[in-house]
């Protein structure tokens, strides 16, 4: 695991209990009502009942809980995260909402799941801090089924907004928000590549479908614990 992943894990282990509250307050300060923006993010994946979905860096499971309603009781949900404390909060949330998901503690750059498994693979928030973004992206594509959807979102100040008062303030609070949407890391072989903005224009959303010709690579598998 890289040094930046190690730091990230320590950060989220400490923050887990107050993560949702902090996220809600930070979003309001950005002029964003978090539940409706998350709904937008989930809706663009056009989920259907019975689908198998993996969220990489699931955190406390706020997206996965919405997804659970869309895929219904026959869907299969897996949430993966580096932080056991965040997964613990996710487990609590799912128990409270009477929802089910398998949870795996692992690094995004080494997904312990078989290739070509999921109808949808999503990620929202975290990739800007990943030690190996390229490998994480490659892994997300590997575990999506052929023709399956991959959706990657992250907070970011768009280049044309960096000189505005709001942009400068956000960048002062978190300089990593100046990173670029990693479109250049997406293989040119994917289909329907699309990049848009949401979260009051402070998060990007890259989505595409996996081509039918990409062979799976083998990876060690881990059994998820029940959330
Ligand atoms: C900003 S939170 C986002 C959580 C969730 N996706 C959401 O939308 O609220 C970032 C999450 O990424 C996780 N994370 C950071 N680096 C990771 C890595 N290399 N592999 C897996 N998870 C990672 C953190 O533990 C944390 O739970």
């Amino acid at each position: 695991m890289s040094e930046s992943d190690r730091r990230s894990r320590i950060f989220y282990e400490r923050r887990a209990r107050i993560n949702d509250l902090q996220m809600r307050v930070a979003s309001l300060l950005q002029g964003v009502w978090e539940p409706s923006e998350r709904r937008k993010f989930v809706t663009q994946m056009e989920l259907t009942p019975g689908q198998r979905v993996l969220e990489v860096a699931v955190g406390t499971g706020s997206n996965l809980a919405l997804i659970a309603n869309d895929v219904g009781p026959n869907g299969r949900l897996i949430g993966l995260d580096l932080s056991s404390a965040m997964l613990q909060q996710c487990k609590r949330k799912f128990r409270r909402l009477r929802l089910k998901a398998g949870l795996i503690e692992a690094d995004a750059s080494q997904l312990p799941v078989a290739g070509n498994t999921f109808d949808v693979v999503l990620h929202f928030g975290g990739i800007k801090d990943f030690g190996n973004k390229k490998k994480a992206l490659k892994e997300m594509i590997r575990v999506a089924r052929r023709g399956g959807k991959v959706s990657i979102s992250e907070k970011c100040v768009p280049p044309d907004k960096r000189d505005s008062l709001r942009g400068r303030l956000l960048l002062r609070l978190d300089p990593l928000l100046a990173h670029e949407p990693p479109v250049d890391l997406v293989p040119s072989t994917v289909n329907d590549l699309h990049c848009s903005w949401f979260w009051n224009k402070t998060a990007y959303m890259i989505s595409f479908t996996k081509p039918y010709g990409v062979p799976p690579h083998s990876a060690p598998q881990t059994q998820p614990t029940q959330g």
Side-chain angles (χ1 to χ4, degrees), residues 74-87:
N74 295 326
R76 174 99 171 100
L77 301 181
I78 302 287
L80 176 144
D81 203 282
L82 202 54
S83 158
S84 59
M86 292 293 269
L87 288 174

Side-chain angles (χ1 to χ4, degrees), residues 40-84:
K40 270 187 213 167
F41 172 61
V42 170
T43 301
Q44 58 85 30
M45 284 178 275
E46 300 174 326
L47 296 156
T48 53
Q51 283 190 313
R52 291 155 299 169
V53 179
L54 168 70
E55 182 169 0
V56 174
V58 66
T60 63
S62 301
N63 304 315
L64 213 58
L66 295 176
I67 289 167
N69 292 317
D70 291 0
V71 300
N74 295 326
R76 174 99 171 100
L77 301 181
I78 302 287
L80 176 144
D81 203 282
L82 202 54
S83 158
S84 59

Side-chain angles (χ1 to χ4, degrees), residues 54 56 80 106-118 121 130 132-145 150 152 187 210 216-220:
L54 168 70
V56 174
L80 176 144
D107 184 347
S109 63
Q110 253 182 311
L111 301 179
V113 277
N116 293 322
T117 300
F118 295 96
V121 178
F130 285 0
N132 195 337
K133 298 177 186 48
K134 189 172 182 177
K135 188 134 184 272
L137 205 90
K138 206 170 163 187
E139 280 290 88
M140 290 185 225
I141 297 172
R142 178 182 68 79
V143 302
R145 71 161 167 82
V150 179
I152 292 149
K210 176 170 168 173
H217 305 281
S218 56

Side-chain angles (χ1 to χ4, degrees), residues 154-159 162 177-181 197 201-204:
E154 177 61 288
K155 302 282 180 59
C156 167
V157 180
R162 287 179 193 167
L177 290 175
H179 84 292
E180 300 295 324
W197 295 88
K201 263 206 126 191
T202 53
Y204 62 78

